[in-house]
Amino acid sequence: MPQIEPKLLQGFFDYTPKQMAIRQYVIEKWRNIFRSFGYGQLETPVLEYADVLMGKYGEEEKLIYHFYDHGERHIAMRYDQTVPFARFVAINKDNLKFPYKRYEINRVWRAEAARRGRKREFYQCDIDIVGTESLMADAEILQVLHYGFLEFNLPKHVIHISHRKILESFLATLDLEKDKFIEVNRSIDKLDKVGIDGVIQEMKERGIKEPNISKIIEFISIKGEIYDVLNFLRDKLQDSEIGLKAVLELETLFKLLKEMNISDNYLSFNPSLVRGLDYYTGAVFELKIEEFGASALAGGGRYDNLCGIFLDDVQISGVGVAVGFERLCLLIEENNIPIKSNVNTQILVTVFSDNLRQNSLEAASVLRKLGINTEIYLENDKIAKQFKYADKNNIPFVLIIGEEEVKKEVVILKDMINGDQREVNLKDVLKSLETS
Amino acid sequence: MPQIEPKLLQGFFDYTPKQMAIRQYVIEKWRNIFRSFGYGQLETPVLEYADVLMGKYGEEEKLIYHFYDHGERHIAMRYDQTVPFARFVAINKDNLKFPYKRYEINRVWRAEAARRGRKREFYQCDIDIVGTESLMADAEILQVLHYGFLEFNLPKHVIHISHRKILESFLATLDLEKDKFIEVNRSIDKLDKVGIDGVIQEMKERGIKEPNISKIIEFISIKGEIYDVLNFLRDKLQDSEIGLKAVLELETLFKLLKEMNISDNYLSFNPSLVRGLDYYTGAVFELKIEEFGASALAGGGRYDNLCGIFLDDVQISGVGVAVGFERLCLLIEENNIPIKSNVNTQILVTVFSDNLRQNSLEAASVLRKLGINTEIYLENDKIAKQFKYADKNNIPFVLIIGEEEVKKEVVILKDMINGDQREVNLKDVLKSLETS
């Protein structure tokens, strides 16, 4: 057979067990958090009819992988988890029990321009509550996000919160054509990347004029205690019914977050927060960690009409958030954030001789029943080589059972990090590991 | 915007939280088993260069989804987990520490002919040990499989074991052209589907003649105690060095399985077992459950040359098994096999009034810390409607905290199945759930 070069596509990666240990830890952490709040897991297909996905992502649509299948159907690979979720809700709306709470942690594909390390295949991690307008839903999404991030031993995070309709009703007070609102939105959305001067420049280019620019910049720069800012806004937007409603909604939201015992230290009202996606209609939020720079580690908001592209007779509103899974994994790896995981092998049980193999096999079974991930050495090698295997594979403990130990009904437990070894009873190994 | 019909591609399915509860249970069960034996998780991309996948699957190759990407590269979607694993090992062989033990549980895609319920997207669940010829590796794979299936509360399974070289060396004793061996193999492989008469017919059509057919049928029908059969074979194959070596390997394998405390009741030597795949070269095995018919729930074997298509200078041998994930999930669902899982919500905490919401929120937090999956009711509704929500969502317990309960520092726990309700201390809820 002709030899084929074994190679990976650019932008695609194999994740080795060492890398998967972090990724799986992050997945399981979030999964447990979502479950503990009663979110059900949904899994949608990787392939969809192309027209289900097309027309939803603006310019970005060109990044969708799409092709014709064996039956000449035009099909496409999942670009995000939101559109397939909307498709799912649209199909099943009559059978779902609302409010419907779901999470999904899965891969998506984007044909991004090739750059070093840029991923064309990556995970997204989303939760949504749909079919309710209750602000308790918004608050719960933030509660999940907050308690979730607390679990990861990361530096302190802040959740930045705003409301789409606050900026909107402020803009309505200016002498500005309505079709410019979206231009202002897009300019402000670039704040983290280009700074205040960049936003000013951006607005100029998009045809916004003075004194509106100054007023907008002043507005998005409002800072202060949450309730002071809300009072200031109530005053500023007193003639706007929509504006006042938005302020009241935020006030209620902050009150609920307080009832959830989330300290104000973790929260910030931030009128410069707009979120890029056009479909948000209520509260919007982003979670950031100052030490890790300006870009958000999670973001989301409330939307009015999840299934608008599929249904014209029903509006299904909801609120959701997406955790930046890949970035979170990278930060944990790069910053050596400690992870408590049960992924790796904890003990290698050596095999002293053919005659004693059964003793080693039995010991390994006992250890597994105690919940200890345990490997047994598979080949016929000298003990020194078996130690080397443990060393190369970062297995922290080695168990040795020789003739002497069998007679005395003990085992020898060797700590591969400090070299200590001691005789223990097999049943006490777990305790010994914990005190090491 | 024009409305788009929300529909799924045929052969593709949304998995709802109820279905995912079973699927995730099965995934987590196997993951924990694999981890407990020290297998690392590998995750390879969904997309590969088409020529990495093509030329490996014979006729089945036509089922691969393939297309040209944005850079006119010919790419393809993963058809199984074995070829990407071989590609991974070929790329990384100089850095891997052998024996290398990995598992992968992931989706693959096949453009199967459309039939009711036939899946074009499904999970595979594989483990392999590569880079060792030790029979301890073969034995361990079977040990993992055996102890894994014991975890699922299924009817008793049997692992059928044979060796590729036993049939091969038997065939060599017949007056049969060597190129007919593969025809015989393929005929026997159909035994489960077509029965003995079908196999005879199949052999006739493939040009096998009498008395060879009778001799082959007699051979594959050998039954009896494992060691008796092995002795019989040792006698029968006494002139074949390869045959005797294979018998010795099986004998050693059965001895190791005994040392692993796997009772003979779970094992069967079955010379009619050949496995379809041409790349097996040693022991082959299948796990079956008699109550669930003739088709296997898992299968695998030993191979000589994992990376043959990619490398011509090194041979990497190994042994592996694939669990039939989709079939296992289906059997659990259809037979109502009890699953112990921590997926579903166990308690709904109701909200008595706006004033008491904070008490409910705090109770919910305490319950989650106790490890109980807990939902809080999100909307402002009467208690009766809150009960209905629990009922519709199959939440087994409801917690009620009214004025009276707050004063007395208790909560009311209502069992939604039998209707019982009682006053308990919040800290004792876990105990109450367990004794219910």
Side-chain angles (χ1 to χ4, degrees), chain B residues 97-124:
Chain B
K97 290 149 195 112
F98 296 109
Y100 184 73
K101 297 161 61 164
R102 86 86 175 80
Y103 78 89
E104 185 156 8
I105 307 176
N106 250 316
R107 293 197 243 202
V108 300
W109 291 265
R110 297 182 184 180
E112 299 277 0
R115 252 196 271 158
R116 222 183 128 68
R118 183 73 162 267
K119 290 181 176 181
R120 288 174 171 160
E121 173 178 65
F122 55 94
Y123 272 78
Q124 289 192 332

Side-chain angles (χ1 to χ4, degrees), chain A residues 45-47 49 69-73 75, chain B residues 8-13 15 63-65 77-79 107-123 326:
Chain A
V46 165
L47 294 174
Y49 277 103
D69 75 359
H70 298 65
E72 290 306 309
R73 286 167 290 257
I75 61 179
Chain B
L8 270 174
L9 284 159
Q10 210 181 349
F12 291 80
F13 301 88
Y15 295 100
L63 303 182
I64 296 176
Y65 284 97
M77 291 178 77
R78 193 165 55 199
Y79 174 86
R107 293 197 243 202
V108 300
W109 291 265
R110 297 182 184 180
E112 299 277 0
R115 252 196 271 158
R116 222 183 128 68
R118 183 73 162 267
K119 290 181 176 181
R120 288 174 171 160
E121 173 178 65
F122 55 94
Y123 272 78
E326 300 288 345

Side-chain angles (χ1 to χ4, degrees), chain B residues 53 62 163 195 203 259 317 389 398 400 425:
Chain B
L53 304 192
K62 64 176 191 290
H163 194 298
M203 283 198 278
E259 287 185 9
S317 64
Y389 175 87
V398 161
I400 306 139
N425 285 311

Side-chain angles (χ1 to χ4, degrees), chain B residues 276-340:
Chain B
L277 282 171
D278 295 337
Y279 85 116
Y280 291 123
T281 52
V284 287
F285 34 82
E286 281 182 351
L287 182 143
K288 296 183 181 182
I289 292 177
E290 217 180 312
E291 278 87 334
F292 297 147
S295 64
L297 275 157
R302 173 164 279 283
Y303 42 83
D304 266 350
N305 195 1
L306 176 69
C307 305
I309 43 176
F310 300 113
L311 303 173
D312 51 13
D313 51 343
V314 235
Q315 276 203 195
I316 295 167
S317 64
V319 54
V321 71
V323 174
F325 176 85
E326 300 288 345
R327 181 125 187 276
L328 181 55
C329 292
L330 193 67
L331 286 174
I332 288 171
E333 194 181 341
E334 286 182 345
N335 296 281
N336 290 311
I337 305 292
I339 65 174
K340 274 190 213 127

Side-chain angles (χ1 to χ4, degrees), chain A residues 1-9 12-17 20 24 28 31 35-38 40-49 51-52 56 62-65 67 69-70 73 75 77-78 87-88 90-91 97 99-101 106-107 109 111 120-121 123 129 132 134 136 140 143 256 258-261 308-312 342-343 345 357-358 361-362 365 368 373-379 389 392-393, chain B residues 1-9 12-17 20 24 28 31 35-38 40-49 51-52 56 62-65 67 69-70 73 75 77-78 87-88 90-91 97 99-101 106-107 109 111 120-121 123 129 132 134 136 140 143 256 259-261 308-312 342-343 345 357-358 361-362 365 368 372-379 389 392-393:
Chain A
M1 208 185 299
Q3 299 299 310
I4 289 153
E5 194 198 343
K7 57 176 181 178
L8 270 175
L9 284 159
F12 292 80
F13 300 88
D14 291 319
Y15 295 101
T16 62
M20 282 309 292
Q24 198 60 38
E28 287 175 20
R31 195 195 297 292
R35 278 181 188 168
S36 76
F37 279 86
Q41 185 179 7
L42 181 71
E43 197 160 274
T44 64
V46 165
L47 294 174
E48 299 268 1
Y49 277 103
D51 67 1
V52 163
K56 324 293 188 289
K62 65 177 190 289
L63 303 182
I64 295 177
Y65 284 97
F67 58 100
D69 75 359
H70 298 65
R73 286 167 290 257
I75 61 179
M77 290 177 78
R78 193 164 55 197
R87 196 259 312 130
F88 170 80
I91 291 181
K97 289 147 195 116
Y100 185 72
K101 297 160 61 162
N106 250 317
R107 296 197 242 201
W109 291 266
R120 288 175 170 158
E121 173 178 65
Y123 273 79
I129 307 177
T132 175
S134 166
M136 263 291 276
E140 181 174 288
Q143 188 189 17
L256 290 170
K258 205 179 193 79
E259 288 186 7
M260 288 167 174
N261 281 323
I309 44 176
F310 300 115
L311 304 174
D312 50 16
N342 185 30
V343 171
T345 300
R357 187 190 301 105
Q358 187 161 6
L361 282 165
E362 275 162 14
S365 289
R368 286 183 198 117
N373 294 342
T374 306
E375 277 191 59
I376 189 156
Y377 195 78
L378 294 174
E379 304 193 79
Y389 175 87
K392 281 193 297 181
N393 286 283
Chain B
M1 205 187 300
Q3 298 300 309
I4 289 152
E5 192 196 342
K7 58 179 179 174
L8 270 174
L9 284 159
F12 291 80
F13 301 88
D14 290 320
Y15 295 100
T16 62
M20 283 309 292
Q24 198 59 38
E28 286 175 19
R31 194 194 299 291
R35 278 180 188 168
S36 76
F37 278 85
Q41 185 179 7
L42 181 71
E43 198 160 271
T44 64
V46 165
L47 294 174
E48 298 269 1
Y49 277 103
D51 67 0
V52 163
K56 322 295 187 290
K62 64 176 191 290
L63 303 182
I64 296 176
Y65 284 97
F67 58 101
D69 75 359
H70 298 64
R73 286 166 291 257
I75 62 178
M77 291 178 77
R78 193 165 55 199
R87 194 259 314 129
F88 169 81
I91 291 181
K97 290 149 195 112
Y100 184 73
K101 297 161 61 164
N106 250 316
R107 293 197 243 202
W109 291 265
R120 288 174 171 160
E121 173 178 65
Y123 272 78
I129 306 177
T132 175
S134 166
M136 264 291 277
E140 182 176 286
Q143 188 189 15
L256 290 170
E259 287 185 9
M260 288 167 172
N261 281 324
I309 43 176
F310 300 113
L311 303 173
D312 51 13
N342 186 30
V343 172
T345 300
R357 188 191 299 106
Q358 188 160 6
L361 282 165
E362 274 162 14
S365 287
R368 286 184 197 116
I372 302 171
N373 293 343
T374 305
E375 277 191 58
I376 190 156
Y377 194 77
L378 295 174
E379 304 193 79
Y389 175 87
K392 282 193 296 182
N393 285 284

